[in-house]
Amino acid sequence: PQHKCRNKKSCPQNYFAFKIVSGAANVVGPSICFDDVVLLSSVKNNIGRGLNIALVNGTSGQPLKVDMFDMYSG
């Protein structure tokens, strides 16, 4: 069976599924999937070097903001 965010197991009821992939240098970009919705990925072209962050409401599961912070340039 297909589980949310392509996880190996399904989550218990009243829990959110998520998957975070860090990437590999500048070859494979990072990605963040939350409750079967890809929030950040190279396909969406919304990632960058540094910290890639997704802010999600912990009660409703509603994505609030995605952003990246370039730690190299300051």
Side-chain angles (χ1 to χ4, degrees):
Q2 181 80 6
H3 302 291
K4 289 184 177 181
C5 292
R6 296 186 177 172
N7 286 324
K8 292 181 180 181
K9 296 180 180 179
S10 61
C11 291
Q13 196 164 350
N14 298 324
Y15 283 79
F16 295 112
F18 70 93
K19 187 172 191 175
I20 300 172
V21 179
S22 67
N26 62 351
V27 179
V28 178
S31 66
I32 298 177
C33 175
F34 185 82
D35 210 31
D36 224 20
V37 175
V38 177
L39 301 177
L40 289 163
S41 74
S42 56
V43 174
K44 293 185 82 156
N45 198 28
N46 63 349
I47 59 169
R49 68 180 183 186
L51 300 174
N52 293 274
I53 297 174
L55 179 63
V56 178
N57 181 308
T59 303
S60 69
Q62 180 70 30
L64 302 174
K65 185 175 182 176
V66 295
D67 209 342
M68 81 90 187
F69 299 96
D70 187 344
M71 303 302 287
Y72 181 75
S73 68

